[in-house]
Amino acid sequence: MVNAIVGANWGDEGKGKITDMLARESDIVIRFQGGANAGHTIVNDYGKFALHTLPSGVFYDHTTNIIGNGVALNIPVLFNEIEQVVSKGVPRPKILVSDRAQMVMPYHILFDEYEEERLGKSSFGSTKSGIAPFYSDKYAKLGFQVQELFDEDALRAHLERIAPQKNVLLEHLYHKPKLDIDELFNTLMEYKKMVEPYVCDVSLYLSNAIKEGKNILLEGQLGTLKDPDHGIYPMVTSSSTLAAYGAIGAGIPPYEIKGIVTVCKAYSSAVGAGAFVSEIFGEEADELRRRGGDGGEYGATTGRPRRMGWFDCVASKYGCRLQGTTEVAFTVLDVLGYLDKIPVCVGYEIDGKVTTEFPVTSRLEMAKPVYEVLDGWKCDIRGIKNYSDLPENCRKYIEFCEKHIGYPIKMISNGPKRDDIIIR
Ligand code: GDP
């Protein structure tokens, strides 16, 4: 049985926590897209962890954790994360890396920095992890798969083939030093030592696991609105954030994905540039940011303050629809307990007309939020285990959002810890 966990919005919805929780019943957890540009924050008995590359199943010794072919694999980041986890007392996790995964090369990170620098004010707000240059190279057929580390002559020849193209850009567009092929080759030999014990034909492994009836979890990064096709292009990430892509990024048949848990946060936050209709500013935003998440809404990778806003039913309905949601996990609801009144964005006004359907980017830029204001519940809901024990106004808030997004909210997360969860 294969399930996917994905985000409905801009990312940072709390997927890591839900995956960590569901990983308890999973034999295999797979990352299928993205790279070390976003992070999951997980709080469990071992402590607090920011994972950028490792699947969120690494804290269970019965779980095999896989880096799928769709991931932008930064090998040193992966290894530092494994060491960080082990040094905090977690048993050494079982990890497999697809032989078809491509590697983030040191120059991808440099190109990311140089390009953001060149764009100046119109930059994307990249985390400078090399993700956009990496995926550009992958689809331009200039990328390097993990399996290439094991044929040194072919690897060197490949480096020599790509260097002239990179060097033109480095020299004439960015005015930076050219690539040093020997140095790159030596770095890749270091990567080889790090990754060798884990390399695996992942699609074959998963095909057998499916036949054996194993429980498999596909773990998405970011959310629908950052998808390159269906998100707020061009302010998106460079790999698909949709559950459907899980089939490709892991190498399994699409019809094997039976459950799609879409994580929606009870208010909005976003990092990076791009239209954000229900965004709030000033003291109102600062207070929500301070109280948000677990210790404030600051990027897990960059530490940057996140942009804050009220729950957006239009974006979330769209986000859930594109994911193919079978159930919604509604997270970080406890944070809203301080508010007397809670605005919820129920429509977008564009050109004097109100719509509840998420528009294309050019129209999104013009959209103004239409709010309905609900009463707050003014108490701490952490520790509550049953839906019926939630304050009435809190249930009303959940049911209001559920009605507007049109997908069943079956899980409610009321705190950062594993067992802060209400199953409805
Ligand atoms: P992800 O990338 O989707 O996993 O999201 P992040 O990890 O970046 O952001 C979620 C943040 O919220 C983390 O700091 C979590 O520990 C925290 N978190 C997750 N669920 C809850 C919740 O229900 N309540 C609170 N207060 N914090 C939560």
Side-chain angles (χ1 to χ4, degrees), residues 70-87:
V71 169
L73 174 62
N74 183 322
I75 292 179
V77 169
L78 174 71
F79 284 84
N80 289 337
E81 270 181 32
I82 297 173
E83 292 317 312
Q84 182 213 23
V85 161
V86 171
S87 75

Side-chain angles (χ1 to χ4, degrees), residues 12-17 39-41 293-294 306 332 334 382 413 415:
D12 308 319
E13 297 94 348
K15 292 178 296 296
K17 177 212 153 147
H40 286 317
T41 313
D294 180 32
R306 291 177 180 152
V332 210
D334 51 301
R382 282 199 196 182
S413 173

Side-chain angles (χ1 to χ4, degrees), residues 14 31 55 70 107 121 131 155 168 259 283 288 302 324 331 340 362 383:
R31 283 280 313 268
Y107 54 79
K121 278 212 188 80
I131 302 304
L155 180 67
V168 171
E283 183 43 41
L288 185 55
T302 56
T331 56
D340 293 318
S362 55

Side-chain angles (χ1 to χ4, degrees), residues 111 114-115 118 167-176:
F111 274 105
Y114 299 161
E115 182 61 9
R118 188 184 73 83
N167 285 339
V168 171
L169 293 173
L170 287 168
E171 196 178 356
H172 299 292
L173 182 63
Y174 300 120
H175 312 292
K176 300 285 183 187

Side-chain angles (χ1 to χ4, degrees), residues 36-86:
N37 51 331
H40 286 317
T41 313
I42 295 175
V43 185
N44 58 29
D45 298 342
Y46 295 107
K48 183 171 175 174
F49 298 87
L51 300 185
H52 306 287
T53 288
L54 282 177
S56 302
V58 289
F59 303 103
Y60 298 98
D61 52 12
H62 66 272
T63 307
T64 300
N65 296 278
I66 300 185
I67 306 293
N69 55 278
V71 169
L73 174 62
N74 183 322
I75 292 179
V77 169
L78 174 71
F79 284 84
N80 289 337
E81 270 181 32
I82 297 173
E83 292 317 312
Q84 182 213 23
V85 161
V86 171

Side-chain angles (χ1 to χ4, degrees), residues 137-255:
D137 272 2
K138 176 170 174 176
Y139 293 107
K141 296 169 283 187
L142 296 169
F144 287 80
Q145 290 190 333
V146 166
Q147 49 95 6
E148 290 181 63
L149 296 172
F150 302 94
D151 183 342
E152 294 181 18
D153 293 339
L155 180 67
R156 191 177 274 278
H158 190 179
L159 284 171
E160 276 161 10
R161 262 196 328 275
I162 61 108
Q165 193 259 11
K166 301 286 163 216
N167 285 339
V168 171
L169 293 173
L170 287 168
E171 196 178 356
H172 299 292
L173 182 63
Y174 300 120
H175 312 292
K176 300 285 183 187
K178 293 205 250 180
L179 295 185
D180 178 335
I181 292 182
D182 286 332
E183 189 189 320
L184 266 175
F185 183 81
N186 292 338
T187 303
L188 291 178
M189 288 301 101
E190 291 298 310
Y191 287 6
K192 178 181 163 182
K193 275 190 233 145
M194 296 181 202
V195 83
E196 201 162 10
Y198 307 107
V199 178
C200 169
D201 180 345
V202 163
S203 69
L204 181 61
Y205 180 89
L206 291 175
S207 176
N208 290 327
I210 290 170
K211 279 187 204 134
E212 287 162 19
K214 295 271 201 281
N215 276 330
I216 300 173
L217 208 53
L218 296 168
E219 179 177 18
Q221 182 212 37
L222 297 168
T224 305
L225 305 177
K226 293 283 187 183
D227 183 76
D229 285 84
H230 297 284
I232 51 170
Y233 190 85
M235 299 303 179
V236 294
T237 192
S238 304
S239 64
S240 175
T241 55
L242 301 184
Y245 190 74
I248 296 161
I252 59 168
Y255 54 76

Side-chain angles (χ1 to χ4, degrees), residues 371-418:
Y371 287 116
E372 275 194 40
V373 179
L374 276 64
D375 290 326
W377 46 93
K378 299 292 287 174
C379 66
D380 186 2
I381 59 164
R382 282 199 196 182
I384 294 177
K385 299 282 172 215
N386 298 311
Y387 187 71
S388 55
D389 295 337
L390 286 172
E392 190 186 355
N393 284 347
C394 182
R395 280 182 279 129
K396 278 189 179 157
Y397 183 82
I398 296 165
E399 288 159 27
F400 182 89
C401 295
E402 182 179 52
K403 190 177 101 211
H404 283 268
I405 61 179
Y407 292 88
I409 295 177
K410 295 210 180 145
M411 274 182 255
I412 293 143
S413 173
N414 58 338
K417 298 217 180 69
R418 249 180 209 173

